[in-house]
Amino acid sequence: MRYLRGTWMRGGTSKCWLFDAADLAGGDPDAVLAAAFGAGDPRQLDGVGGATSTTSKAALVQRSATPGIDVEYRFAQVGIGARRVEWGSNCGNCATAIGLYSLLTGLVPARPGHTTVRMRNINTGTLLAATVATPGGAVPESGAAVVPGASDGGVPVELAFLDPQGSTTGRLLPTGRAVDHLPVPATLVDAGAPAALVDADELSVDELIALRRKAAVLMGLSEQDDAIPKTGMVCPPRDDSHDLRIRMLSMLAPHPSVGLTSAVAIAAAAGVEGSVVHQALGGEVPRVLRLGTPAGVVAVRAEWEDGVLRAVRLDRAARRIAVAEISVPLALAS
Amino acid sequence: MRYLRGTWMRGGTSKCWLFDAADLAGGDPDAVLAAAFGAGDPRQLDGVGGATSTTSKAALVQRSATPGIDVEYRFAQVGIGARRVEWGSNCGNCATAIGLYSLLTGLVPARPGHTTVRMRNINTGTLLAATVATPGGAVPESGAAVVPGASDGGVPVELAFLDPQGSTTGRLLPTGRAVDHLPVPATLVDAGAPAALVDADELSVDELIALRRKAAVLMGLSEQDDAIPKTGMVCPPRDDSHDLRIRMLSMLAPHPSVGLTSAVAIAAAAGVEGSVVHQALGGEVPRVLRLGTPAGVVAVRAEWEDGVLRAVRLDRAARRIAVAEISVPLALAS
């Protein structure tokens, strides 16, 4: 039996297990995580996983040697009913949790007032910053901040995606155009993640999936990867609680709210004149853009400097659920 | 913030959080458990719950002052999407886990050879015994025993329900008859839990539910309680891998395998001459009765003494998943 110390956090609408990267060195981290989570079983009955995509997540966290970066992390999507771990993406909700975790564990010292944890996601190279109110240098353990899609309150964490444009393709507009015709008008944008944002209200999931494939080709992405481009519909608001109404896909099914990297892409597209997002806003881009999702309103703030997107900020919440010593069955993790 | 030490165990096909009862004394255990599990949220996003009925379970365990009983426990079914805890039933899978837990924690000292932990379930008064192989007095932490409905192996635990007959109604046959006609022939039996066992192969769920209500009335139980009587169909085997084919309901839906208290009731009915179970066996009751369930074969061993059912034994498996310190948000748990 191998014992693995982990911290279980809720970040936004996800549950993530955070580990000290050093504790998984010198072995096969895929095998250890799969065994710890009970990944081989479709109910993850024999481990710490939650048996849904948003509750089967982990990250390996370590101090960074890079100047200006406090911590680095590798995000792991752990299999459900398959002893497999995917390392291809980032998770903004886990990043929110890692920000608070870094302060709670002393990995990053808290200062009086506010403390910002600067992070690098190793999987994608994305830079992020999490800022937490730390009055008198004390780190809060609980709070009342609620995000759409979660019922309970957590510690407020401002999460910023830094210099997010062109994160995957190198260009904010991979096709060089604000609108492509697929034939439905769509804006193909790359910030936080590549996204295909469609000027539509009532497309079926099948129509969106077909459109998604065309967008992938135009953006130079693989048609086989279900994770990107993020795809969804953008249209004018129904009421004044929000500025835009959005409906995204998640792994080829309707997303219950909106992924954070998708929110970043939408905020980026809002700043591109002539894009379907800019048009749905009637050409008026508010400083705080309120996205109306099925679960509620998610607010994003984009910061442009000389036509370059410097940051996109979101208000999130996080909480430490437990600190644990996990028993990892040796036969599976060796 | 309140910190609560807990041990997360897999027992059979359930995940259970086990707590030292003393750690929940001096407060409202319902509020503490609901907050610890994140019970208010339908996904139990902000706590340690697994958001399904078999992964939202807890037990408060303590040493027993009663001679002949080692440990006592209260079983808690924690709400999902409701800050509520139900204390009305027992769970055999959790009892399996509590047996191993008692040895791993030293609550009951292990002896060379095998060690038996005698337990009383406070909720129902049921007596149980868990026996674990403890060679040289060492308690195993992992094992290869697999039960139907679970993919991974665990430590083999023999679980015995002791003197289970008449557990709820006081009589093995509450109506005094081996068969009642509802109008489908049924055996109403009370051992482990009250059960209505129907001689049928192809009844619909609706037909079973209707029949269940009639059985409840005849057995003097509430028609409103969805948990008892346990209801299901019993018929001859399809092949020689099992002795009986059974299909049970669980909270008004088809059970994926068989609950342990239902298995006890079926084993008891097998020993009653003329019962639908005895008939389905062709009057030949094997020493080890193999129940063919949708998930696989569950073997039960009934021990009769002068017409009294002394024990029903099952081979189960358990494993410690993690030891944790849970952060319980004070505002919810006070």
Side-chain angles (χ1 to χ4, degrees):
Chain A
M1 191 64 64
R2 175 171 173 168
Y3 301 100
L4 179 62
R5 195 170 167 81
T7 299
W8 206 3
M9 305 278 304
R10 202 253 305 173
T13 53
S14 291
K15 285 205 254 196
C16 317
W17 278 96
L18 305 184
F19 301 101
D20 182 335
D23 288 344
L24 280 113
D28 177 356
D30 295 52
V32 173
L33 288 178
F37 272 65
D41 183 84
R43 297 167 58 207
Q44 294 187 333
L45 192 65
D46 207 55
V48 300
T52 70
S53 64
T54 52
T55 58
S56 187
K57 297 179 167 190
L60 314 189
V61 184
Q62 61 194 45
R63 268 205 186 82
S64 175
T66 308
I69 306 291
D70 298 309
V71 297
E72 300 180 329
Y73 68 92
R74 288 180 76 197
F75 168 68
Q77 183 74 48
V78 181
I80 300 169
R83 291 186 212 286
R84 197 171 57 212
V85 177
E86 283 166 26
W87 299 95
S89 60
N90 184 22
C91 170
N93 281 314
C94 291
T96 306
I98 292 165
L100 180 60
Y101 164 88
S102 299
L103 297 175
L104 285 169
T105 56
L107 201 56
V108 176
R111 293 172 203 163
H114 287 76
T115 308
T116 295
V117 177
R118 289 177 60 97
M119 300 176 278
R120 190 170 77 92
N121 170 243
I122 299 172
N123 314 66
T124 62
T126 303
L127 299 180
L128 305 102
T131 302
V132 179
T134 47
V139 183
E141 288 199 65
S142 60
V146 176
V147 300
S151 311
D152 297 297
V155 175
V157 179
E158 188 212 69
L159 185 70
F161 288 76
L162 305 176
D163 292 319
Q165 71 179 49
S167 47
T168 301
T169 67
R171 301 174 69 184
L172 179 63
L173 299 174
T175 66
R177 290 179 293 270
V179 175
D180 281 275
H181 298 274
L182 306 175
V184 187
T187 292
L188 309 183
V189 64
D190 178 12
L197 304 169
V198 185
D199 173 20
D201 196 346
E202 294 288 337
L203 290 185
S204 70
V205 167
D206 283 348
E207 287 169 310
L208 274 177
I209 291 173
L211 197 144
R212 198 176 161 288
R213 273 193 219 104
K214 293 183 199 169
V217 173
L218 279 173
M219 299 171 91
L221 303 169
S222 163
E223 285 178 78
Q224 313 304 324
D225 186 338
D226 290 342
I228 55 169
K230 309 290 181 189
T231 303
M233 297 175 279
V234 178
C235 53
R238 280 238 173 98
D239 58 56
D240 60 10
S241 71
H242 55 287
D243 303 304
L244 278 178
R245 205 152 63 82
I246 63 165
R247 293 294 180 268
M248 301 298 297
L249 287 183
S250 168
M251 303 306 277
L252 311 185
H255 196 292
S257 54
V258 61
L260 300 197
T261 54
S262 297
V264 170
I266 295 166
V272 174
E273 205 160 324
S275 76
V276 299
V277 180
H278 194 261
Q279 287 179 46
L281 289 166
E284 292 280 335
V285 186
R287 204 183 59 81
V288 177
L289 180 63
R290 297 166 306 161
L291 307 177
T293 83
V297 175
V298 174
V300 284
R301 302 183 293 281
E303 293 171 12
W304 296 85
E305 206 179 285
D306 300 329
V308 177
L309 184 60
R310 283 300 177 201
V312 175
R313 297 176 194 276
L314 300 106
D315 293 320
R316 308 300 292 169
R319 194 176 80 78
R320 179 166 60 190
I321 295 172
V323 176
E325 185 183 75
I326 302 170
S327 298
V328 185
L330 266 182
L332 300 171
S334 58
Chain B
M1 193 63 66
R2 176 171 173 167
Y3 302 99
L4 180 64
R5 195 169 168 81
T7 299
W8 206 4
M9 304 277 304
R10 201 254 304 172
T13 53
S14 292
K15 285 204 256 197
C16 319
W17 278 96
L18 305 184
F19 302 102
D20 182 335
D23 289 343
L24 279 112
D28 177 355
D30 295 53
V32 173
L33 288 178
F37 272 65
D41 183 84
R43 295 167 58 207
Q44 294 187 331
L45 192 64
D46 208 54
V48 300
T52 71
S53 64
T54 52
T55 58
S56 187
K57 297 180 168 189
L60 314 189
V61 185
Q62 61 195 43
R63 265 203 188 85
S64 176
T66 308
I69 306 293
D70 298 308
V71 298
E72 301 179 328
Y73 68 93
R74 288 180 75 198
F75 168 69
Q77 183 74 47
V78 182
I80 301 169
R83 291 186 212 286
R84 197 171 57 212
V85 177
E86 284 165 24
W87 300 96
S89 60
N90 184 21
C91 170
N93 281 314
C94 290
T96 307
I98 293 165
L100 181 60
Y101 165 88
S102 298
L103 297 176
L104 285 170
T105 57
L107 201 55
V108 175
R111 292 173 204 164
H114 287 75
T115 307
T116 295
V117 178
R118 288 177 62 97
M119 300 177 277
R120 191 171 78 91
N121 170 244
I122 298 172
N123 315 65
T124 62
T126 303
L127 299 180
L128 305 104
T131 302
V132 178
T134 48
V139 184
E141 290 198 64
S142 61
V146 176
V147 300
S151 311
D152 297 297
V155 176
V157 179
E158 187 212 68
L159 185 70
F161 287 76
L162 304 177
D163 292 319
Q165 71 180 50
S167 47
T168 301
T169 66
R171 302 175 67 184
L172 179 64
L173 299 174
T175 66
R177 290 180 292 271
V179 174
D180 282 276
H181 298 274
L182 306 174
V184 186
T187 292
L188 309 183
V189 64
D190 179 13
L197 304 171
V198 185
D199 172 22
D201 195 346
E202 294 289 337
L203 289 186
S204 70
V205 168
D206 284 347
E207 287 169 309
L208 275 177
I209 291 172
L211 199 143
R212 198 177 160 288
R213 272 192 222 104
K214 293 184 200 169
V217 173
L218 280 172
M219 298 172 92
L221 303 169
S222 163
E223 284 178 78
Q224 313 306 323
D225 187 336
D226 291 343
I228 55 171
K230 309 290 180 189
T231 303
M233 298 175 278
V234 177
C235 53
R238 281 237 173 99
D239 58 56
D240 60 12
S241 70
H242 54 288
D243 303 304
L244 280 178
R245 205 152 63 84
I246 62 165
R247 293 294 181 268
M248 301 298 294
L249 287 184
S250 168
M251 303 306 276
L252 311 185
H255 196 293
S257 53
V258 61
L260 299 197
T261 54
S262 298
V264 170
I266 294 166
V272 174
E273 204 160 324
S275 75
V276 300
V277 181
H278 195 260
Q279 287 179 45
L281 288 166
E284 291 281 335
V285 185
R287 203 184 59 81
V288 177
L289 180 62
R290 298 166 305 161
L291 307 177
T293 82
V297 175
V298 174
V300 284
R301 301 183 293 280
E303 293 171 13
W304 296 85
E305 205 179 284
D306 300 328
V308 177
L309 184 59
R310 283 300 177 202
V312 176
R313 298 175 193 276
L314 300 106
D315 292 320
R316 308 299 292 170
R319 193 177 79 79
R320 180 165 60 190
I321 295 172
V323 175
E325 185 183 72
I326 303 170
S327 298
V328 185
L330 268 181
L332 299 172
S334 59

